[in-house]
Amino acid sequence: MARVGLFTGDEETSAAHRGLDWGSTSLGPVESWPVELRSAVRTVMPSQIPMLLWWGPDLVQIFNHAYMPVLGDKFPAAVGQRGSECWAEVWDELAPLADRALSGCATYSEKLRLLLRRHGYLEETYWTFSYSPVHTDDGGVAGIFVATTDVTAQVLSERRLESLHRLGMVTIAEADTPADVCRAAVEVLANNRPDVPAVKVYLCEQDGHEDLVATSGEIDVPDEIVRQAAETGRTQYLDHAVVAPLQDASAVTGVLVLGLSPLRAFDDLYAGYVDLVAAKVAALLGDAHAYAAERARAEALSELAAAKNRFFQNISHEFRTPLTLLLAPLGALVEDETGERRETLAAAHRAALRLNRLVDDLLDVARAESDRLHARPEPTDLAELTEGCVSMCRATADGAGLALTVSAEPITAAIDQEMWARIVLNLVSNAIKFTDHGAVTVTLRRTDGQVVLAVADTGAGIPPGEQDRVFDRFHQVEGPAGRSRGGTGIGLALVADLSGALGGQVELHSRTGEGSTFTVTIPYVPADVPVPAGERIADLGAAFAGEERRQEPVASRRSRTEDERRILLVEDNADLRAYLVRLLTGQGWTVDASADAETALDRVHTARPDPVLTDVMLPGRDGLALLGDLRGDQELARLPVILLTARAGAESTVDGLRLGADDYVVKPFDPAELIARVRVHLELSRFRETLIARGERQTETLRTAVATRGEIGKAMGILMVTRRWDGDTAFQHLVSLSQRSNTKLHRVAEDVLADFTRGLETTAPGAR
Ligand code: ADP
């Protein structure tokens, strides 16, 4: 009766308790159980909370159905078993707690780690539980209530999250290589031994093998498996390890081997953790590779920049010797000559000076880049030097119709004269070059220990987005006011470098459409007796003046002979234009010269040239635009156009030819070749015009001939018109008709032909 009353449930747990021979345990038969035990059993059994009751000195076990998962395969042996037997593998940890409870004190343990054997292997588990003594009336302790919660899942997920979090905090410093990053990741993972008892990272090398770069703990995975993961990009699962490929967008860059805990089943949660670790390490590695690539690129770029600088320096030096050999004798020869020869030599001298200046600029820019631009200060009358430089640009300003004014306070200062002169010359010549109307104003003053030079113009201005960049080397503002005016884009970079070398800086204030002001501020270093500016400065000025000279279009020059061949020349560089005029008129041709495309177009309409010889780079509309205008005009479409360009290379040739240029001559050119080409085009164009004129005449004559020959003639005429036959085709047709035997058609054709031939003879010009 009583037994039935204690284990009444119909689940297997109650059944097992019912079925046990309790007499064989130290509790004795159920009938003999004390009332405390009975009431304890009645509390435990129906509860939905996992509960275990230990009773008597042997701690004999009674538990409810909710407790079953805690036991695993310890059930059914656990029913009525002694606690120390059931939990033998952890009894060392539990016994002291049980003893405490038996002595009357309740215990509470939180997240206690226990390695239990309940599924055939030793398993890492965590428990939060309490032992509560069951007191008897006499104050003794007869048993222990055990209430327990399995917190394994919670503890594991906290631990894994923590490890992922730390992995997420691994950052890549600029100097880190991919191998460094792998080592850092392995270090973090080594802190989570329970989940990752061992780890290895391999990097895939160029030669196809995998290089072990970081490792922690002991694990043995055959190389074959690692290779397989690398080659297939698929994760390999072994019973003690996971071998995961580390992939970035395009390729497998490494392989991660993670040892698995023998104390945990590889369930979904564990697999999820391993996946996340592999993904995180792959991402880190991807970042490291990206960094490495970026670093390599930066190194390559700076190496390239250094090489470019070395090249500039070497080439500039190489240029200087031949230039010196050119300049000195040219200068002397100019003095000795008169007339046209003097003009030619003077232009050559100016060109050499200009080349020299460009070479100097390049050299200085290269020097500034490698911090080797050193000022050599001398006591200087700064006002005089500045005024001198400005005056060297006066002719250019006058030629361009600009007012050029300078107002300079008297200042004597220690300064590198050449540097200062180049700053002034660059700024003033730029101001003149980029200003179409108005004035260029130069002021020099001293304030608070500083010398301030301002060059203001009323020109096109510089768009806000370009204002910082105009000081960059080789930068030129795109657009009508920029590139088409020539130049190298070095000037302002040099002004900035030179101002820096003098201990100061240059600033720009500009509004598009209103003008620009460049202000150079340098420290004032007082000095007493000034030394006069040297000859170098005069040469410098000449180099600038030679470059920037803008002149009104050269009037046409009539050749000595009466040949009617007329060449329209468009070239903005005054010296080169003058030289070409001399060269071409020397051939007996008439040359019409202009400095820009607009003027050239006007002239084409007033005096039709035979060929047009035009520079590609021109101020305003360039040579290609001029070519487009000519080709777009029916009247002028057949005009031969020869382009003159400074840019060599197949690409620009193709550009010009595609736009319909007849020929292309690259500067510097051989004068004989240029003349030969112009001659060829003159001949070609003469021939073409003759052919066309003859064709027109034939067509006309034929029309008259057929019109007077009745029906068949009319039919011929209609055919001519509808089929758009030109004279030649119609003539051929007639000939073939006249050769047919004896038809009416044949006779008519012969007549038409006869008329046609006669007609041609009477309309032909006297020369034929
Ligand atoms: P370059 O004159 O040889 O092209 P610079 O370095 O002297 O080279 O000038 C760079 C660019 O800045 C020029 O191409 C031009 O577009 C612009 N620039 C320079 N000075 C002026 C100015 N005074 N007004 C308008 N634009 C200017």
Side-chain angles (χ1 to χ4, degrees):
M1 268 277 284
R3 261 174 82 168
V4 174
L6 279 183
F7 303 109
T8 51
D10 48 13
E11 7 65 28
E12 57 176 334
T13 323
S14 296
H17 281 77
R18 273 200 303 276
L20 188 76
D21 171 15
W22 291 97
S24 67
T25 74
S26 60
L27 295 190
V30 175
E31 298 76 31
S32 66
W33 289 3
V35 66
E36 291 92 347
L37 176 54
R38 285 164 175 276
S39 60
V41 170
R42 288 209 178 90
T43 313
V44 167
M45 291 313 281
S47 174
Q48 299 298 310
I49 296 170
M51 267 197 218
L52 167 74
L53 184 65
W54 275 331
W55 202 263
D58 289 343
L59 303 179
V60 173
Q61 304 195 126
I62 296 166
F63 48 87
N64 63 12
H65 192 59
Y67 193 72
M68 286 289 277
V70 177
L71 289 165
D73 58 19
K74 290 181 188 290
F75 180 84
V79 180
Q81 200 177 16
R82 298 159 82 159
S84 58
E85 255 171 50
C86 180
W87 305 105
E89 69 272 25
V90 289
W91 197 245
D92 283 350
E93 281 126 305
L94 298 187
L97 299 171
D99 286 346
R100 246 177 92 75
L102 286 175
S103 72
C105 294
T107 70
Y108 178 74
S109 303
E110 207 172 348
K111 296 181 184 171
L112 187 70
R113 179 177 188 265
L114 295 176
L115 294 184
L116 294 180
R117 185 182 301 283
R118 43 180 202 168
H119 296 299
Y121 69 97
L122 213 52
E123 181 193 9
E124 180 191 17
T125 60
Y126 292 85
W127 303 92
T128 293
F129 59 92
S130 68
Y131 291 171
S132 316
V134 182
H135 291 274
T136 51
D137 279 348
D138 57 8
V141 175
I144 302 173
F145 265 127
V146 180
T148 186
T149 317
D150 182 351
V151 292
T152 310
Q154 183 197 340
V155 170
L156 292 189
S157 74
E158 277 170 7
R159 181 172 82 201
R160 288 166 182 169
L161 265 181
E162 168 69 15
S163 132
L164 287 171
H165 175 66
R166 285 182 183 216
L167 208 50
M169 292 201 319
V170 173
T171 49
I172 298 167
E174 214 158 308
D176 287 351
T177 63
D180 290 336
V181 168
C182 293
R183 280 188 281 273
V186 165
E187 214 169 286
V188 169
L189 289 173
N191 284 316
N192 187 10
R193 275 281 151 76
D195 283 316
V196 187
V199 52
K200 282 182 171 176
V201 188
Y202 295 83
L203 287 182
C204 298
E205 296 297 328
Q206 298 283 337
D207 62 7
H209 88 283
E210 293 79 30
D211 193 15
L212 179 62
V213 292
T215 173
S216 145
E218 290 292 320
I219 184 153
D220 204 19
V221 168
D223 289 346
E224 242 342 276
I225 306 280
V226 173
R227 166 114 352 114
Q228 231 169 321
E231 278 170 5
T232 61
R234 275 199 297 275
T235 303
Q236 312 289 313
Y237 296 94
L238 310 182
D239 53 6
H240 68 301
V242 170
V243 183
L246 299 171
Q247 266 164 310
D248 67 14
S250 52
V252 177
T253 54
V255 176
L256 175 68
V257 175
L258 290 175
L260 295 177
S261 165
L263 300 177
R264 286 300 315 170
F266 191 62
D267 54 15
D268 285 354
L269 290 174
Y270 202 172
Y273 167 69
V274 165
D275 282 354
L276 287 173
V277 167
K280 187 65 211 168
V281 176
L284 278 172
L285 196 56
D287 289 352
H289 277 300
Y291 260 104
E294 191 52 40
R295 203 164 46 235
R297 220 173 71 90
E299 277 163 14
L301 277 180
S302 79
E303 174 50 35
L304 197 69
K308 203 169 64 183
N309 257 334
R310 278 197 301 278
F311 171 75
F312 278 155
Q313 289 185 17
N314 294 343
I315 197 105
S316 307
H317 280 300
E318 290 301 315
F319 272 134
R320 281 175 144 226
T321 314
L323 273 171
T324 315
L325 290 173
L326 273 176
L327 274 167
L330 273 175
L333 282 173
V334 170
E335 297 306 318
D336 296 347
E337 293 286 345
T338 52
E340 198 160 290
R341 273 177 72 86
R342 184 189 172 102
E343 215 177 293
T344 310
L345 285 170
H349 187 240
R350 276 197 300 275
L353 277 175
R354 160 129 206 256
L355 203 53
N356 201 35
R357 187 202 127 204
L358 290 176
V359 168
D360 281 352
D361 283 0
L362 266 182
L363 194 59
D364 276 355
V365 166
R367 277 204 195 110
E369 179 82 347
S370 48
D371 277 337
R372 293 196 296 108
L373 197 60
H374 300 301
R376 279 189 303 264
E378 285 175 294
T380 303
D381 182 337
L382 213 48
E384 189 185 271
L385 178 59
T386 308
E387 277 164 357
C389 290
V390 173
S391 72
M392 293 185 216
C393 300
R394 187 161 306 283
T396 318
D398 289 350
L402 297 173
L404 176 62
T405 55
V406 50
S407 89
E409 271 177 34
I411 304 170
T412 306
I415 200 166
D416 185 310
Q417 300 191 342
E418 193 176 327
M419 287 187 173
W420 183 257
R422 292 167 80 176
I423 291 175
V424 177
L425 285 166
N426 262 299
L427 290 179
V428 175
S429 67
N430 264 354
I432 295 172
K433 186 157 76 160
F434 296 104
T435 304
D436 287 332
H437 318 280
V440 174
T441 314
V442 183
T443 50
L444 176 73
R445 56 205 165 81
R446 220 182 85 193
T447 47
D448 316 331
Q450 305 207 292
V451 174
V452 183
L453 169 82
V455 179
D457 64 54
T458 56
I462 298 171
E466 295 278 356
Q467 289 183 9
D468 284 338
R469 301 175 58 204
V470 288
F471 295 106
D472 290 350
R473 277 204 271 171
F474 313 126
H475 184 75
Q476 296 188 307
V477 179
E478 291 283 345
R483 272 268 275 286
S484 57
R485 308 212 181 199
T488 52
I490 288 186
L492 287 180
L494 197 59
V495 167
D497 289 339
L498 292 171
S499 307
L502 295 176
Q505 79 275 341
V506 56
E507 279 171 39
L508 164 63
H509 293 279
S510 183
R511 280 169 169 273
T512 5
E514 287 179 21
S516 316
T517 303
F518 288 87
T519 311
V520 175
T521 312
I522 59 164
Y524 167 60
V525 184
D528 337 311
V529 189
V531 240
E535 207 159 282
R536 284 276 300 147
I537 309 282
D539 278 353
L540 257 183
F544 273 91
E547 170 191 7
E548 257 66 66
R549 252 180 3 149
R550 292 200 299 183
Q551 290 184 345
E552 287 312 300
V554 169
S556 69
R557 286 177 61 149
R558 189 140 279 275
S559 60
R560 287 176 294 260
T561 75
E562 278 310 303
D563 191 313
E564 277 295 71
R565 314 317 287 170
R566 174 188 289 272
I567 299 168
L568 177 64
L569 169 69
V570 196
E571 166 60 59
D572 61 332
N573 181 291
D575 279 333
L576 185 56
R577 189 171 57 230
Y579 170 72
L580 282 169
V581 168
R582 275 197 300 281
L583 186 69
L584 297 170
T585 49
Q587 298 304 307
W589 297 318
T590 302
V591 180
D592 221 353
S594 61
D596 60 83
E598 282 82 4
T599 323
L601 260 183
D602 284 349
R603 303 205 66 89
V604 168
H605 289 290
T606 49
R608 193 184 158 111
D610 294 293
V612 176
L613 181 61
T614 175
D615 191 9
V616 172
M617 281 243 248
L618 291 171
R621 294 174 68 70
D622 65 10
L624 294 179
L626 173 63
L627 175 63
D629 286 351
L630 293 176
R631 291 291 178 258
D633 185 328
Q634 273 223 327
E635 286 275 291
L636 304 172
R638 291 205 305 269
L639 216 54
V641 176
I642 304 170
L643 296 178
L644 260 178
T645 178
R647 286 198 216 152
E651 202 178 308
S652 45
T653 316
V654 168
D655 255 359
L657 295 180
R658 198 177 46 216
L659 282 168
D662 294 77
D663 208 347
Y664 217 91
V665 179
V666 177
K667 291 185 204 167
F669 49 81
D670 171 10
E673 185 192 334
L674 178 73
I675 288 169
R677 290 202 186 205
V678 171
R679 195 184 299 287
V680 164
H681 286 287
L682 277 171
E683 291 306 318
L684 270 178
S685 114
R686 190 209 298 266
F687 186 56
R688 190 159 53 205
E689 295 303 323
T690 316
L691 274 184
I692 290 168
R694 200 184 111 208
E696 275 166 6
R697 226 170 43 240
Q698 278 188 347
T699 314
E700 210 30 59
T701 318
L702 207 52
R703 282 220 178 102
T704 337
V706 295
T708 57
R709 288 287 158 182
E711 288 306 307
I712 292 174
K714 268 193 210 135
M716 283 293 298
I718 291 168
L719 258 182
M720 275 179 67
V721 174
T722 53
R723 298 235 179 133
R724 294 178 189 279
W725 281 353
D726 56 21
D728 257 345
T729 321
F731 182 79
Q732 295 304 331
H733 208 73
L734 276 172
V735 170
S736 80
L737 277 182
S738 68
Q739 283 162 354
R740 291 197 192 165
S741 52
N742 215 18
T743 57
K744 200 174 167 197
L745 202 63
H746 156 82
R747 270 198 313 283
V748 174
E750 269 191 335
D751 290 344
V752 172
L753 212 52
D755 285 358
F756 174 55
T757 321
R758 257 198 312 282
L760 265 190
E761 272 160 11
T762 53
T763 56
R768 291 189 99 239

